């Protein structure tokens, strides 16, 4: 099995446990994953330690206990992370967290995406755009915003596997193609 499939299975198992407790518990697990991945982003040493095959599960669990206490994790998350250590699946922690986030978003009706614009937008404009796009999509959108001057103007919206390109660059390409075809 590939790492992605394994990560999804672990995430699904944790999600099934949390679902019995309710949405608040599911969100609690998600917050813990967010904090853990944030710590991994901040500390390459912690990530190397959790990935190192020469360090025993017991030693990793001792470190995990301190880390999980620091992020105020629930007893289920302690047990879950210890299980990952015992099964040598800690290198998949980020992938499990991402798979879990996907399941949680799906359960809450949240769609994540990215908006690319040619110039930076101010906070108010980002919020207006997110609300407008959310209304059109019929879902609650959580959007990240990026800047790419190469699109010239307009925007490119990435939602899951869907890309909607309303950029000036795309429109110019379409116009050039039309002219080349002689239409």
């Amino acid at each position: 099995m590939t790492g992605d499939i394994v990560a999804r299975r672990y995430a699904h198992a944790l999600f099934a446990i949390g679902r019995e407790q309710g949405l608040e518990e599911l969100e609690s697990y998600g917050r813990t994953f967010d904090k853990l991945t944030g710590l991994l982003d901040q500390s390459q040493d912690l990530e190397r330690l959790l990935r190192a095959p020469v360090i025993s599960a017991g030693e990793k669990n001792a470190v995990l206990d301190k880390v999980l206490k620091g992020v105020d994790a629930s007893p289920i998350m302690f047990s879950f992370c210890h299980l990952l250590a015992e099964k040598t699946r800690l290198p998949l922690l980020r992938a499990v967290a991402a798979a879990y986030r996907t399941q949680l978003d799906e359960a809450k009706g949240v769609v994540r995406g990215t908006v690319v614009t040619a110039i930076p937008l101010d906070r108010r404009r980002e919020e207006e755009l997110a609300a407008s796009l959310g209304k059109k999509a019929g879902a609650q959108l959580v959007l990240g915003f990026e800047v790419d001057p190469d699109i010239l103007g307009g925007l490119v919206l990435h939602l899951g596997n869907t890309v909607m390109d309303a950029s000036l660059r795309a429109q110019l390409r379409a116009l050039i193609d039309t002219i080349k075809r002689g239409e």
Side-chain angles (χ1 to χ4, degrees):
M1 287 191 277
T2 65
D4 193 40
I5 293 170
V6 173
R8 283 197 312 261
R9 286 190 178 170
Y10 276 94
H12 181 74
L14 180 64
F15 194 84
I17 292 168
R19 189 178 3 211
E20 294 173 7
Q21 304 300 315
L23 183 60
E24 181 55 40
E25 191 71 9
L26 290 171
E27 290 177 340
S28 168
Y29 300 164
R31 285 190 299 274
T32 300
F33 275 132
D34 291 344
K35 291 174 186 175
L36 286 174
T37 55
L39 288 172
L40 293 175
D41 290 342
Q42 293 174 4
S43 174
Q44 290 180 349
D45 291 338
L46 176 61
E47 184 153 14
R48 273 186 245 135
L49 179 132
L50 295 179
R51 289 181 172 275
V54 296
I55 297 176
S56 72
E59 292 170 311
K60 289 178 184 180
N61 281 334
V63 171
L64 278 172
D65 283 345
K66 291 178 183 175
V67 170
L68 291 168
K69 283 179 188 172
V71 298
D72 197 29
S74 69
I76 295 290
M77 284 301 290
F78 271 83
S79 297
F80 182 77
C81 289
H82 287 183
L83 176 69
L84 291 177
E86 291 165 18
K87 299 293 184 181
T88 64
R89 300 297 192 198
L90 280 175
L92 298 175
L93 185 61
R94 285 182 192 276
V96 172
Y100 185 86
R101 173 59 57 197
T102 300
Q103 285 189 351
L104 183 58
D105 285 348
E106 200 173 283
K108 292 170 53 179
V110 171
V111 178
R112 292 186 184 271
T114 305
V115 174
V116 181
T117 57
I119 59 171
L121 302 177
D122 62 28
R123 185 75 180 149
R124 182 185 60 79
R125 185 67 183 127
E126 287 179 355
E127 290 170 357
E128 289 172 357
L129 185 59
S132 173
L133 292 171
K135 186 180 282 187
K136 288 179 183 174
Q140 179 186 351
L141 296 183
V142 175
L143 298 174
F145 290 85
E146 297 177 2
V147 176
D148 180 3
D150 291 340
I151 70 168
L152 304 176
L155 60 87
V156 179
L157 175 63
H158 300 266
L159 288 177
N161 294 330
T162 305
V163 177
M164 292 172 250
D165 192 344
S167 67
L168 185 55
R169 176 181 62 194
Q171 293 172 22
L172 288 172
R173 284 184 184 153
L175 180 61
I176 290 169
D177 289 345
T178 301
I179 291 170
K180 284 181 180 178
R181 287 190 310 265
E183 295 175 5

